[in-house]
């Protein structure tokens, strides 16, 4: 009887927590749909220009007290993209809009209004303190190019795809950085499949079309190869059986192993899982040239001799890491202190661009001594929000102290009270002025490797834990779900996962 009573209480507790969860989500959704009216910023305040709507800039915006500045956001992309789930969009496991959050929604939730210009920054003049911007969208108005002056500037423009000047890469391969890239790949996979199934296609041509080549064995290449193999095993094979034995995925990596940033045991686990999944891995193989139908590479044999290998392909995905954007290169050329920096804007421990005043950089375009990851970019954005909020508070308090000090002689009868107020403001100033330099706290690395398996190098009580397999996959899913930008994104992603599991992925080409 006692056990029954305990069970009943447990059930009630579970029911109440579920109810509280639903109420919490409901309240969040209601708040998003009915935001409070926004304050119009005071024009006498400083103009803070933020470039980009990626991990660094949006993390900054989320925590920035926008009422302290006249904030202007400039980016060619009017949404935030949750990149960790981008590889899942290439096969339709997740629909692209589920991992996008409109910047207008993000900005509407701020206390004071923020201006947004959908434009690309083409150059930054640190002497005149202006950013030159242009409209690179399809629809153009009479005004397509102009300048935006700033008092303070935060650069979070990310990086572009590295090609190392290898001939044919830009013309013939697909990248995997933006939502358009994932859509392109999805279309191209199905185009290859349908073209291979075309009447009287020769066996050699079917082999070529069904050969999917991925260059770069970093996390992007590995996750994409895993997603692709899943798509084939779970859906294409069943629906287009006549070509199913010809489908192959090849991963080419210049270094001796894939996932160089993960621990040895996880590298071995990934490579053996890929072998089981029948993904061919060519390590110590450097791609030298790309044509419309082949990839030419040079492999280093165990005895050190070189061998030329030609891979015919239907789809080629190029994932060899980051390169510096032209607008950043141009700025670096204007600043003598950036002369020796190669991989982006060198910043100090407060993320100030070295050799400048009033310019900060976050994320992949900044060189602060950390890997170019979303984790680093978002922590940098959070840090900068704290710093800028503090700077604004400091200025406000300093001006109050100045004002009170000047009235001290004019109101001798009130001097005790004024001195007490000054002391109080100075005490507050001492407390908030003390912002420690940026310190990155690594939470670990996660990667999906296909067949419902993932690898994780996680920091746990100051130690490192390496985990791999099915349970790690569940951890991967829950971690990424919790990191999604909004409740809306979370619900859409869950819906996509259920949909693709229950009904299979959508094979339509558009
Ligand atoms: P981005 O997020 O790239 O944002 C740059 C912004 O600047 C964009 O809004 C862009 O439109 C805008 N912009 C570009 N040019 C200009 C210009 N000239 N003027 C103004 N604005 C401009 N990291 C992890 O930690 N975990 C992961 O699981 C993970 N998965 C990934 C999966 C993929 C497929 C990829 C490609 C990357 C992944 N990363 C991951 C890395 C992570 O996405 C990047 O490190 C992160 O996006 C960097 O943030 P950022 O703000 O510097 O740049
Ligand atoms: P990367 O820089 O991590 O890896 C690129 C790989 O391409 C390297 O291993 C390099 O040796 C190889 N390569 C370069 N040129 C080559 C050539 N010509 N031929 C063959 N191989 C060549 O790039 P990636 O994977 O795009 O990642 C970029 C950043 O984003 C990294 O910091 C990464 O950690 C992060 N990221 C993290 C993810 C995660 O945590 N799950 C997922 C995706 C990206």
């Amino acid at each position: 009887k006692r056990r029954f009573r305990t069970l009943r209480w447990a059930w009630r507790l579970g029911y109440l927590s579920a109810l509280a969860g639903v109420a919490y989500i409901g309240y969040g959704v209601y708040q998003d749909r009915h935001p409070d009216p926004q304050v119009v910023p005071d024009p006498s305040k400083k103009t803070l220009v933020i470039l980009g709507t990626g991990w660094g800039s949006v993390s900054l915006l989320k925590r920035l007290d926008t009422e302290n500045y006249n904030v202007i956001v400039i980016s060619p992309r009017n949404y935030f993209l949750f990149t960790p789930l981008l590889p899942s969009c290439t096969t339709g496991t997740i629909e692209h809009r589920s991992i996008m959050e409109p910047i207008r929604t993000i900005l509407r939730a701020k206390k004071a209004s923020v201006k947004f210009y959908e434009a690309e920054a083409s150059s930054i003049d640190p002497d005149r303190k202006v950013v030159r911007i242009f409209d690179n969208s399809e629809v153009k108005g009479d005004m397509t190019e102009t300048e935006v002056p700033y008092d303070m500037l935060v650069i979070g423009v990310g990086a572009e795809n590295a090609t190392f000047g290898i001939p044919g890469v830009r013309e013939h391969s697909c990248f995997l950085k933006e939502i358009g890239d994932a859509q392109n790949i999805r279309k191209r996979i199905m185009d290859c499949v349908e073209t291979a199934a075309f009447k009287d296609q020769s066996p050699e041509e079917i082999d070529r079309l069904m050969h999917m080549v991925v260059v770069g064995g970093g996390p992007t290449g590995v996750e994409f190869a895993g997603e692709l193999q899943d798509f084939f095993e779970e859906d294409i094979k069943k629906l287009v059986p006549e070509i199913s034995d010809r489908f192959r995925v090849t991963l080419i990596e210049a270094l001796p192993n894939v996932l160089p940033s993960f621990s040895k045991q996880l590298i071995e686990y990934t490579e053996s899982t890929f072998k089981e999944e029948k993904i061919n891995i060519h390590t110590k193989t450097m791609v030298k040239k790309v044509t419309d139908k082949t990839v030419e590479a040079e492999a280093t044999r165990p005895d050190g001799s070189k061998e030329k290998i030609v891979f015919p392909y239907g789809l080629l995905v190029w994932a060899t890491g980051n390169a510096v954007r032209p607008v950043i290169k141009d700025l670096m050329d204007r600043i003598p202190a950036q002369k020796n920096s190669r991989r982006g804007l060198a910043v100090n421990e407060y993320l100030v661009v070295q050799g400048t005043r009033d310019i900060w950089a976050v994320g992949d375009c900044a060189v602060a001594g950390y890997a170019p990851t979303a984790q680093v970019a978002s922590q940098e954005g959070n840090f900068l929000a704290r710093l800028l909020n503090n700077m604004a508070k400091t200025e406000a308090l300093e001006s109050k102290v100045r004002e009170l000090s000047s009235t001290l002689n004019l109101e001798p009868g009130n001097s005790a009270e004024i001195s007490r107020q000054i002391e109080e403001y100075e005490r507050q100033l001492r407390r908030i002025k003390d912002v420690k330099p940026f310190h990155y706290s690594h939470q670990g690395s996660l990667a999906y490797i296909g067949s419902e398996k993932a690898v994780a190098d996680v920091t746990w009580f100051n130690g490192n834990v390496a985990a791999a397999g099915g349970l790690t996959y569940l951890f991967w899913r829950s971690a990424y779900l919790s990191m999604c930008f909004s409740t809306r994104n979370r619900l859409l992603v869950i819906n996509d996962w259920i949909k693709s599991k229950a009904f299979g992925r959508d094979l339509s080409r558009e």
Side-chain angles (χ1 to χ4, degrees), residues 476-495:
W476 174 86
R477 274 201 161 181
S478 44
Y480 281 3
L481 200 60
S482 70
M483 279 155 57
C484 275
F485 189 87
S486 62
T487 309
R488 187 187 71 95
N489 286 146
R490 261 172 232 125
L491 293 177
L492 289 175
V493 167
I494 293 173
N495 179 50

Side-chain angles (χ1 to χ4, degrees), residues 325-345:
R325 286 199 190 276
V327 63
I328 300 297
K329 264 188 216 147
D330 176 74
L331 177 61
M332 285 161 72
D333 289 343
R334 292 170 189 245
I335 306 167
Q338 297 286 332
K339 201 175 73 200
N340 297 323
S341 187
R342 291 280 163 272
R343 289 187 299 112
L345 289 164

Side-chain angles (χ1 to χ4, degrees), residues 88 118 141 147-148 174 182 207 268 318 359-360 425 429 452:
S88 302
E118 192 187 73
E147 284 186 344
V148 180
C174 301
D207 279 342
E268 281 166 10
W318 193 265
I359 305 183
W360 291 260
Y425 287 143
L429 264 172
E452 306 202 335

Side-chain angles (χ1 to χ4, degrees), residues 95-329:
E95 293 298 336
H96 63 276
R97 286 197 179 264
S98 306
I99 58 166
M100 293 158 69
E101 186 69 16
I103 192 70
R104 298 282 181 184
T105 316
I106 298 170
L107 298 183
R108 184 59 190 84
K110 300 305 299 180
K111 197 167 162 194
S113 63
V114 173
K115 279 204 181 86
F116 173 72
Y117 300 134
E118 192 187 73
E120 196 171 313
S122 52
S123 66
I124 297 160
D125 186 337
D127 300 324
R128 287 173 53 232
K129 291 188 125 186
V130 291
V131 180
R132 186 141 200 93
I133 62 166
F134 70 99
D135 178 359
N136 67 351
S137 67
E138 258 172 49
V139 177
K140 303 246 185 321
D142 290 341
M143 174 64 89
T144 55
E145 202 171 349
T146 185
E147 284 186 344
V148 180
Y150 66 81
D151 296 308
M152 299 157 95
L153 175 68
V154 176
I155 309 175
V157 297
E160 60 176 32
N161 295 291
T163 63
F164 308 104
I166 297 171
V169 175
R170 285 216 181 272
E171 296 85 325
H172 305 298
S173 51
C174 301
F175 295 114
L176 182 49
K177 206 170 212 4
E178 297 292 341
I179 216 68
D181 299 333
Q183 287 171 304
N184 235 356
I185 294 173
R186 191 173 172 185
K187 257 192 226 165
R188 179 105 192 179
I189 298 170
M190 283 323 298
D191 205 355
C192 284
V193 170
E194 299 298 0
T195 309
F198 193 78
K199 187 168 179 295
D200 300 333
Q201 200 67 269
S202 72
E204 300 78 53
E205 195 58 352
I206 296 179
D207 279 342
R208 180 185 72 80
L209 289 162
M210 295 298 282
H211 190 197
M212 314 278 152
V213 174
V214 184
V215 182
T220 305
V222 164
E223 291 197 324
F224 171 66
E227 293 278 356
L228 192 54
Q229 191 67 27
D230 284 358
F231 185 27
F232 175 70
E233 283 298 329
E234 292 166 18
D235 299 293
I236 299 178
K237 209 172 165 179
K238 289 180 200 152
L239 297 170
V240 200
E242 64 272 27
I243 47 159
S244 66
D245 57 339
R246 316 294 267 276
F247 185 89
R248 278 174 309 143
V249 178
T250 296
L251 181 65
I252 304 176
E253 167 56 52
L255 296 176
N257 52 264
V258 299
L259 291 183
S261 56
F262 281 69
S263 58
K264 192 166 173 277
Q265 139 195 30
L266 294 182
I267 291 171
E268 281 166 10
Y269 181 84
T270 305
E271 292 187 348
S272 73
T273 306
F274 271 19
K275 221 173 252 172
E276 282 167 26
E277 290 171 359
K278 300 200 179 60
I279 296 174
N280 310 307
I281 302 182
H282 287 259
T283 49
K284 292 191 185 165
T285 305
M286 171 89 80
V287 172
K288 299 278 186 180
K289 189 180 167 190
V290 171
T291 69
D292 59 340
K293 290 183 179 169
T294 60
V295 168
E296 295 175 18
E298 188 180 76
T300 307
R301 294 201 193 96
D303 65 1
S305 62
K306 306 279 185 203
E307 178 192 6
K308 186 179 166 189
I309 312 180
V310 177
F311 300 89
Y313 72 85
L315 167 78
L316 170 63
V317 172
W318 193 265
T320 62
N322 292 344
V324 181
R325 286 199 190 276
V327 63
I328 300 297
K329 264 188 216 147

